[in-house]
Amino acid sequence: MSDYDAIVIGAGLGGLSAASILAKNGFKTLICENTSWVGGCCSSMDYDGYTFDIGASIVELSFVIDNLFAKLGRKTSDYIDFIPVDPIYGFVTEDGQKFSYPVSIEGTREVIAKLSPEDAEAWDRFAKVGSEAINLAFGQVMAESMMSFTDAIKSTLSNPKLAKYLPYMVKNFESVLCSFFKNDKIRASMSLQSYFIGLPPALCPGYVAFLAYSEHEGIFYPRGGMIQIPKGIARAFEEFGGEIKFNTRVKKVLVEGGQAIGVELEDGTQIRSRLVVSNVNAKTLYLDMIGRENLPGWAVRTMENFPLSIPAPMIMLGLDTKPDLEAHHTFCYSTLEKMNSIWFDDYLNNRIPVAGFMLISWPSHADPSLAPAGHHCLNLVSFCPYELADSDWNKMREPYLEASLDAMEEKFHLNLRDHITVAKLHTPYDLENILLLPRGAVYGLQNDLFCTAMFRPRMKSRVIKNLYLSGASVHLGGGVPTTIGSGIVAGGIIEKDFG
Amino acid sequence: MKEKMKKALLVAVAASAVAGYFSASQSTRRYIAHLAKQLPYLPYRYFI
């Protein structure tokens, strides 16, 4: 006898999205969440009067969130108050030049024309192709499970325009950018998005390059911090009768005769269900929670060999002044080669990038309520290895914080040391301990071409019956719209199987 | 004769792949090398 129809492990965006669809469709659904809050990598924490985001910092492709609420028969605006963000990015180049890209396509063209006149026309072409690629092709792929070649063929046949953009899936991000833009500063300014899926421009699939366009269709920040997105979905879930147990760590997925039949909690409690949805990292799910004893040898080896994504340590600063910045995000790398060197020279050699952190996020610019009156909060984001060649993150906590503050002064010309009221650092160890991200992998498994779509763990497990997956480990990888999309698709598959 | 043709064709394909790889940009070579390392795992990944 089952206690629930569905148990969802983890209240991250994918798990919440799948759970809310199931609850809406009458499934008695329980979410077991390890922490005392919702959202996983899309969340916020309160420290000394400041609200700091602890992962995702902005929302793009917001139509995915609207799709979820539409499926629930609800309106996004009744649950989340999105603030439009403009400009999108500010840049500080090595020679001290500052510029920013507004949301407006024409406004961005003007900025590009000043920096590199020949690239202004290239921007027009890039925006045109990007608009088609995102709206006519890849938008559809995001709403499909892509679990097999059959799914891919069906998707292409139902939307022949997708075939036109397939070359962008085969090329790398860097080649796509270089095929449009000539000036290295412009190329670099469009390259940050490759790290949004945790890869350098040389290894990132080419279609991701069009994220640099998609942001011009509008980017948003939820009033009250990024946690308001999962909170909004959780509210809808609870309205449909769904239940969330916080501070509840799942130790095992119960398997009987090759079938998931519930979960065992850390305290030994067993809860039975007709099906289990996992929103935790797929390596953790298969190797630890399912257990090697319940998997065929080839499945164990496959999961062991899946590469994890790069960790993104984050520094959270509370300030008693307004920082001299122009945009929600400010970025400081000035060539594609330097973007690649973070991976090839530093990450692969277990070194903290010598050039320091790369991105400042300034959420209190969009929403002043995140800090006390007159104060602001910043997040400094970088990409670093989990293992360090000459040290470890416990020893590097203070030196890393100090080096990052130095870099903030040198590269961003921000002299804010005397104005810092709160300074917190989440190292890869913290990400692993707090959010249960193995080795701090914020984007789940690596997101390259051979870990994408049907080469990523399936949303409907083939090796364990009645086990479903959502979140950053499945198609389409880490990110706010992508993980919500995974939950929508997983919920749809379960509806078909059990509805 | 047929066997010889087959072998010649295989050698030609391999040679053009190698030539293509070395004439590609450093970025493309990095990309190909990165993906090539994962080729052996693809059949298994498809079934997990």
Side-chain angles (χ1 to χ4, degrees):
Chain A
M1 183 68 186
S2 295
D3 304 302
Y4 291 89
D5 293 319
I7 293 176
V8 179
I9 309 171
L13 287 175
L16 282 168
S17 303
S20 57
I21 288 173
L22 295 179
K24 159 84 168 52
N25 286 291
F27 285 71
K28 188 182 176 195
T29 306
L30 169 71
I31 301 177
C32 296
E33 168 55 39
N34 165 58
T35 66
S36 56
W37 63 88
V38 290
C41 290
C42 177
S43 194
S44 317
M45 280 178 168
D46 292 334
Y47 288 125
D48 296 340
Y50 298 87
T51 301
F52 293 108
D53 296 325
I54 55 170
S57 57
I58 203 75
V59 178
E60 55 206 22
L61 304 173
S62 60
F63 65 87
V64 179
I65 299 177
D66 293 336
N67 287 350
L68 171 67
F69 279 99
K71 276 189 185 295
L72 300 177
R74 302 286 205 260
K75 264 174 65 185
T76 308
S77 56
D78 292 336
Y79 292 81
I80 307 162
D81 180 11
F82 278 122
I83 305 165
V85 171
D86 197 2
I88 300 173
Y89 289 109
F91 299 92
V92 182
T93 62
E94 276 182 344
D95 52 14
Q97 193 175 15
K98 287 185 177 180
F99 60 96
S100 58
Y101 288 150
V103 170
S104 148
I105 302 272
E106 295 73 28
T108 298
R109 187 187 205 279
E110 282 171 26
V111 175
I112 291 174
K114 277 184 200 157
L115 292 161
S116 170
E118 63 180 339
D119 282 330
E121 183 272 331
W123 167 251
D124 293 338
R125 279 188 295 119
F126 182 77
K128 185 172 180 292
V129 176
S131 170
E132 289 172 0
I134 295 287
N135 294 312
L136 301 178
F138 301 128
Q140 182 186 330
V141 173
M142 284 177 71
E144 294 177 359
S145 61
M146 286 289 168
M147 293 193 293
S148 64
F149 285 116
T150 316
D151 287 348
I153 292 165
K154 273 187 196 164
S155 181
T156 312
L157 290 177
S158 70
N159 182 9
K161 285 189 173 113
L162 188 59
K164 185 177 160 190
Y165 298 100
L166 287 181
Y168 294 117
M169 296 192 84
V170 181
K171 284 179 168 186
N172 68 4
F173 186 110
E174 185 169 350
S175 304
V176 172
L177 277 189
C178 293
S179 70
F180 284 95
F181 302 104
K182 303 286 174 247
N183 180 291
D184 211 24
K185 253 182 214 172
I186 304 295
R187 289 173 175 174
S189 71
M190 306 272 174
S191 67
L192 172 65
Q193 287 77 1
S194 76
Y195 278 99
F196 278 10
I197 68 161
L199 286 167
L203 304 185
C204 186
Y207 62 89
V208 180
F210 295 113
L211 277 184
Y213 157 77
S214 75
E215 291 164 344
H216 292 267
E217 294 201 341
I219 58 168
F220 302 92
Y221 188 80
R223 192 179 303 281
M226 292 301 289
I227 195 170
Q228 298 304 325
I229 300 172
K231 269 190 173 175
I233 304 171
R235 182 152 68 87
F237 170 66
E238 288 176 327
E239 284 169 4
F240 293 122
E243 187 186 339
I244 306 177
K245 280 184 194 284
F246 290 102
N247 302 309
T248 302
R249 186 180 289 206
V250 170
K251 188 177 151 198
K252 283 279 190 200
V253 172
L254 299 171
V255 177
E256 207 172 87
Q259 186 169 318
I261 55 158
V263 299
E264 183 179 313
L265 307 181
E266 211 170 34
D267 65 5
T269 308
Q270 293 195 345
I271 312 175
R272 305 267 165 166
S273 60
R274 289 166 67 202
L275 66 102
V276 174
V277 182
S278 165
N279 196 59
V280 299
N281 189 290
K283 277 178 99 107
T284 307
L285 169 72
Y286 279 111
L287 298 177
D288 300 337
M289 291 181 171
I290 299 283
R292 290 154 206 262
E293 67 280 9
N294 289 309
L295 295 171
W298 66 265
V300 172
R301 284 191 296 280
T302 303
M303 289 317 301
E304 283 174 342
N305 288 321
F306 252 117
L308 287 164
S309 64
I310 192 170
M314 186 182 274
I315 293 170
M316 292 152 268
L317 297 180
L319 305 172
D320 64 7
T321 188
K322 185 179 175 185
D324 181 22
L325 295 167
E326 291 175 12
H328 186 88
H329 283 139
T330 305
F331 171 54
C332 71
Y333 275 65
S334 49
T335 63
L336 280 177
E337 199 38 52
K338 286 189 175 169
M339 290 293 284
N340 283 324
S341 82
I342 296 172
W343 183 280
F344 293 103
D345 299 332
D346 299 319
Y347 177 62
L348 295 184
N349 292 309
N350 292 338
R351 285 202 315 237
I352 291 174
V354 284
F357 73 96
M358 66 191 320
L359 180 74
I360 295 182
S361 173
W362 180 24
S364 54
H365 178 46
D367 181 5
S369 74
L370 299 177
H375 287 230
H376 281 271
C377 39
L378 297 181
N379 288 349
L380 316 185
V381 185
S382 64
F383 296 91
C384 296
Y386 177 83
E387 277 169 16
L388 301 176
D390 305 320
S391 187
D392 66 54
W393 279 103
N394 289 330
K395 290 179 193 149
M396 285 306 294
R397 190 175 283 276
E398 283 306 313
Y400 179 76
L401 191 56
E402 279 304 310
S404 297
L405 295 179
D406 288 345
M408 188 168 73
E409 287 175 9
E410 285 162 24
K411 298 169 73 176
F412 290 84
H413 314 294
L414 289 173
N415 298 312
L416 294 170
R417 264 180 204 273
D418 296 338
H419 295 281
I420 295 171
T421 52
V422 175
K424 294 269 177 195
L425 165 64
H426 277 175
T427 69
Y429 291 177
D430 298 321
L431 297 171
E432 185 170 57
N433 294 331
I434 300 169
L435 298 175
L436 301 187
L437 307 175
R439 297 173 70 84
V442 286
Y443 300 104
L445 304 173
Q446 199 164 281
N447 286 287
D448 59 45
L449 190 64
F450 285 174
C451 296
T452 297
M454 67 285 278
F455 298 121
R456 217 165 168 77
R458 288 173 170 235
M459 292 180 183
K460 178 180 178 177
S461 175
R462 263 193 176 175
V463 283
I464 302 290
K465 215 178 154 200
N466 296 348
L467 175 68
Y468 299 82
L469 285 78
S470 64
S473 289
V474 296
H475 173 67
L476 257 155
V480 173
T482 48
T483 49
I484 290 178
S486 77
I488 297 173
V489 178
I493 296 169
I494 297 167
E495 257 185 273
K496 267 190 195 163
D497 289 353
F498 288 84
Chain B
M1 187 64 182
K2 217 174 174 182
E3 278 301 304
K4 275 186 182 172
M5 288 271 285
K6 252 188 191 171
K7 272 186 189 169
L9 194 65
L10 275 175
V11 170
V13 168
S16 43
V18 171
Y21 177 81
F22 284 105
S23 63
S25 66
Q26 189 198 21
S27 165
T28 304
R29 285 208 302 272
R30 280 171 161 173
Y31 190 52
I32 293 169
H34 177 77
L35 294 179
K37 276 187 225 158
Q38 297 183 65
L39 269 175
Y41 306 120
L42 284 192
Y44 304 102
R45 284 183 190 169
Y46 184 77
F47 289 103
I48 195 77

